[in-house]
Amino acid sequence: MTEIKRPSLGELDLPIGKRARLHSILYEHGVGNGTALILPIDHGLEHGPRDFFSNPESAGPEFQLRLAKEGGFSAIALHVGLAEKYMGKYAGEVPLILKLNGKTSIPPETRAFSPQTASVEDALRLGADAVGYTLFVGSPAQDQDILQFSRIREECRRYGVPLIVWSYPRGEAIDAKGGRDSIYAVDYAARVANDLGADMVKLNIPEYREEKSKQYPEPYDKLRLDTEDALRRVVASAGRTMTLVSGGEKMGDAELIEKTRASMEAGATGLIFGRNLWQRPFAEALKITWKMKKLLAEYPS
Amino acid sequence: MTEIKRPSLGELDLPIGKRARLHSILYEHGVGNGTALILPIDHGLEHGPRDFFSNPESAGPEFQLRLAKEGGFSAIALHVGLAEKYMGKYAGEVPLILKLNGKTSIPPETRAFSPQTASVEDALRLGADAVGYTLFVGSPAQDQDILQFSRIREECRRYGVPLIVWSYPRGEAIDAKGGRDSIYAVDYAARVANDLGADMVKLNIPEYREEKSKQYPEPYDKLRLDTEDALRRVVASAGRTMTLVSGGEKMGDAELIEKTRASMEAGATGLIFGRNLWQRPFAEALKITWKMKKLLAEYPS
Amino acid sequence: MTEIKRPSLGELDLPIGKRARLHSILYEHGVGNGTALILPIDHGLEHGPRDFFSNPESAGPEFQLRLAKEGGFSAIALHVGLAEKYMGKYAGEVPLILKLNGKTSIPPETRAFSPQTASVEDALRLGADAVGYTLFVGSPAQDQDILQFSRIREECRRYGVPLIVWSYPRGEAIDAKGGRDSIYAVDYAARVANDLGADMVKLNIPEYREEKSKQYPEPYDKLRLDTEDALRRVVASAGRTMTLVSGGEKMGDAELIEKTRASMEAGATGLIFGRNLWQRPFAEALKITWKMKKLLAEYPS
Amino acid sequence: MTEIKRPSLGELDLPIGKRARLHSILYEHGVGNGTALILPIDHGLEHGPRDFFSNPESAGPEFQLRLAKEGGFSAIALHVGLAEKYMGKYAGEVPLILKLNGKTSIPPETRAFSPQTASVEDALRLGADAVGYTLFVGSPAQDQDILQFSRIREECRRYGVPLIVWSYPRGEAIDAKGGRDSIYAVDYAARVANDLGADMVKLNIPEYREEKSKQYPEPYDKLRLDTEDALRRVVASAGRTMTLVSGGEKMGDAELIEKTRASMEAGATGLIFGRNLWQRPFAEALKITWKMKKLLAEYPS
Amino acid sequence: MTEIKRPSLGELDLPIGKRARLHSILYEHGVGNGTALILPIDHGLEHGPRDFFSNPESAGPEFQLRLAKEGGFSAIALHVGLAEKYMGKYAGEVPLILKLNGKTSIPPETRAFSPQTASVEDALRLGADAVGYTLFVGSPAQDQDILQFSRIREECRRYGVPLIVWSYPRGEAIDAKGGRDSIYAVDYAARVANDLGADMVKLNIPEYREEKSKQYPEPYDKLRLDTEDALRRVVASAGRTMTLVSGGEKMGDAELIEKTRASMEAGATGLIFGRNLWQRPFAEALKITWKMKKLLAEYPS
């Protein structure tokens, strides 16, 4: 399965604005070889301050901005409030991915939907190099979600702003079919992003769970893949949509490096790791960043 | 019942833009005699990647685009993401039908509704020769659906873009009245498309099911038609709306050819077959395509 | 009770556009004496093709259009799809009433609401002489309905387009109060049309039902009127809104003529009869049309 | 408690358009001393024709318009349909208050909400001197209601149109707290109108009901006021919003005059009495009108 | 924990209009040293007139306006009706914070949401120095709330109007997690305001409740802080959003002064105290105001 090749910016049929802005992320920042290492800090809104307890310094986005700058990340992803209040002195140095929707995790996610928190106009005003949108694939609120997404997609096209989709399987039906991290769910989420017009898609690593595998809709119930092959499949389903693999909850160094390697081998364009990096002391976070970047350097495109 | 005649482009009272674009589909591509053979590839969004397992090559729309070009299809139908990312090198060679709405099949279809995924402006920008809209006839969400449809219908009129309706009976009430493929349901769906202003309508082949026939609302409960007569009826109910007969799940070659023949005999303008074609190896898909086109050549209009 | 007088165009304080268009319906077509005989063919959307089984020829609106022309009707009422596809050769000869909303009868009517299917702009573009709107009086969805209606009402005023309301009592509360055809329900529906700004209102003939009369809200529970007096009452409640009496399901010739007479005696401006006319063979339909027109000729205004 | 003083037009900080139009109502019509006597005829929509049974002549708004003119009322309040159809010959003689929202009383009022039936633009076009809006204070639909109200409030400000709020407590929660006429409910409704930006507020007379007083939220449960003191309290809560006291169902002459007196003593700007006036024969209605006006003449402001 | 420092206007990266207007509140009124003492009078809409019973004079906003002027408050916060009707003679003397949304407390708060009552345009027209918005963090209606908030946030940015968020935890899920005043809830609310783009945030003082602490989501269940430390935490979570600490129900003088001190020590920018001030006789209210201001004078920024 070595035939998998990550989509390269030059081959994609992108309008000038999208190419210019993605060039900033892929070739002018980060490793600079067409890969991406992105630092998200939307956790304050999404999870509340609890994610910052293990590393209190990380509560202010100053920590993440400094890490993004000193670690030479491809971009930082955050909401409009943080962008307006903290990006000033990093403007131009750290590319901005403005998250355009979000929600708290307080009420239950039965009808998961992230309302719009900022506009494409906000992104343009702030000089963002891309915008981020969380799409809850399979949610009973998919009507509202796809409509909101599609209006944003169209505006992004008009103004040449790259659109990165956090493509997250959610909802009762997803749970009944084996859960949000099943290969069925992630594979579907990857394809949806490609069909609906994302430029990049953030995906979680699919996990095979023996005990849930009978719930997987066929033919997925017969599919038992290791991490790398599972990633290869979802990257393929994302088609010409560049894939960013998500880190999720904190893991150990070896596992983190191994997931990075597997992702890149599978054809991902890069990684979007938050808690795994900024839940560490600054120096340690920098160190693991360098390790990841060294690995990314092996996968030019 | 030989009096049935398919609507011909010249007789329809269409505005110039609609005529010009339909001319491209009906006379400049495909068989070129006023019939249509259309290849849909909206399955990635609608069903997820599972439809591609039996023919892994078919996962990328490259397969379908190549098939549409080499097989000389009248048009290809897909969503905006695929159009933007893959149509570039086929522009002008394969007419585009941009699907303007869609949804995943993950949550249950109790309130079936496909939210808008792209606009008529997108279709114009991409040089599409028509747009596609899925209308769930009989869904409890028909309010929302008809409103969304009607806004698009009006825009299509304004810009001369042909509008093809995927007219799909859905919902609890349809199930209670004998199911989505009953002659009652498909016949109603055909008429709705005509009344609401579609230019073409995609219909499934009505199926008579003995065990459900008592649920059919009268006078349909007394109506027992063979496939061709059932098609003749629904084509008649579609009136001056050209009919495209849908393939549905994969069937054998003989059945496929027979359904093509029955459809054309019944007055359909053409076929819209997806899985039945692209779930085959490329060469085989091409071969069956030629057989279908040979048959279509016998039905000029 | 001979004091009842139908509203005449000259006495109504209408803007020029509305007067001009109503003049076409009331004085230039039909009997030409200020009465109206209108042929509706919105049944395909509202009921599905089942209404055409008894007279298969009636399935295409060609039948109705030809009947409207040869029978010299005041106008024909249909949806945008039929108007665009079939009116071409009748343009100017048969005045058009464009129905602006509608729905299928497939899902239950618990929250009866007809979404907009076309716009006032469509009506202007098609040279319509009036538009029709179905208002479900008493439906739990009255909020949505009145809002939608009121926006259309305002546009009609702006462009001088007469607005005819199909004022239909519907919903659980109506059922609990004696049903949609009770004098309570029809009387309320008539008044609502007058207050909300209709120019004409289509009403069903109120029916007294002994077994339900206890459910009628007081003082209607004490009101036992024959057909003509009941019509006289609802025509009075419609005030300066011209009344069209609806035919409903097919009845015999004598009954039809008697209802026409009772309606005109009661002060109605005219009749809107569909199935009662086009569910007959063409020649027979023409014949009964002439009988009705002869009767209407006795009621100039 | 003689310190209560009704707000006078001169002291209020109103924009020119609002002052000019209120001047017409308060000083150029009615008693002409700054008080108001308003005749509402929105009952046809709100209650249906049943309110007209006791005085059949009152069914047409001609009755009310004539009464308003001959009785010299400050203004008449009705919906757009009646205004357009009947006001023509009274234009300029009877000031118009255009009701901008309304509903039928057919479905239950669990989520009481009156959708918009006309616009501020309609009011301007019709030369109205004010608009009326029914706000259901405490309804579970208050979100929708306050939003709709606030858009209208802003437009009224822009065009200088006085805004009169029918401030009606409604809904399950109101019922559980002692009902819509409790001092708690009416007092709250008065204050809401003041805070949200009404120019005038129509209030019902609060009623103390022993059997419900335990349900009144504290400290209202300890408040036992006679009619005049209760009115004084709610007039005070309305602050700089002029108060119109509502008549409600028909009462005897002595009671009517006493309520008028109590209202004016309590600081109300005037009365808005409908059924109590037009459910009488014309001459009798005129007579009681003169009595009320004579009383109002004692309360200049 | 002395490292906490309140955000100062000079350091914040604010657009000119926001700086100019905040300067009026922080340096030209109140103590004038960068702190804020704000008097809210939105209780009439939010709670009804019941809050004025203990001090009847306080029912009119004259009381509060006079207190704001004579006490030298930084600003007064109220709804559009009160602003338009009462601010005239205080214009320029008392800075206005226009509350842009609100609701009554009559129906239950299960889906807590405050609909918009005025616009940013209203605020500009009235010369307001800021606008206030109530966001119900954690409500099941958060979708609607965040969307409404975000549109206002964007307009505020466009016109340079400071945006103060009343960040209130609400809803069943909040109750199940330990209640609206838990450190978990208030901490989350603080962070949400920062991420979503508030300029200032109004927070309640977190309360530790032994009996509910097991419901607090971890790691908050292990966090037992005294008032000042709890405030320090939430002020930190608000980041570069200036914090206003809320007074809530009336307390004694000593407690009030102690809470003021604790708030300022914790890094708050100021206080927003309503009932605690205006539920006292005027002279007494003035006296306690001076005490608070004397304390605020010790915390320049």
Side-chain angles (χ1 to χ4, degrees), chain C residues 155-205:
Chain C
E155 270 189 84
C156 283
R157 188 87 196 176
R158 196 170 296 133
Y159 297 107
V161 179
L163 172 51
I164 307 178
V165 172
W166 274 231
S167 201
Y168 286 174
R170 280 290 186 291
E172 211 174 41
I174 284 290
D175 293 342
K177 291 174 184 179
R180 62 174 76 167
D181 291 325
S182 73
I183 177 71
Y184 162 75
V186 182
D187 205 30
Y188 206 144
R191 177 78 192 201
V192 164
N194 199 33
D195 275 46
L196 290 184
D199 296 302
M200 279 193 186
V201 61
K202 175 182 193 262
L203 296 172
N204 287 325
I205 299 176

Side-chain angles (χ1 to χ4, degrees), chain E residues 139-152:
Chain E
S139 166
Q142 69 170 336
D143 300 357
Q144 203 180 352
D145 209 356
I146 293 178
L147 283 172
Q148 182 179 260
F149 169 79
S150 297
R151 279 193 298 265
I152 288 175

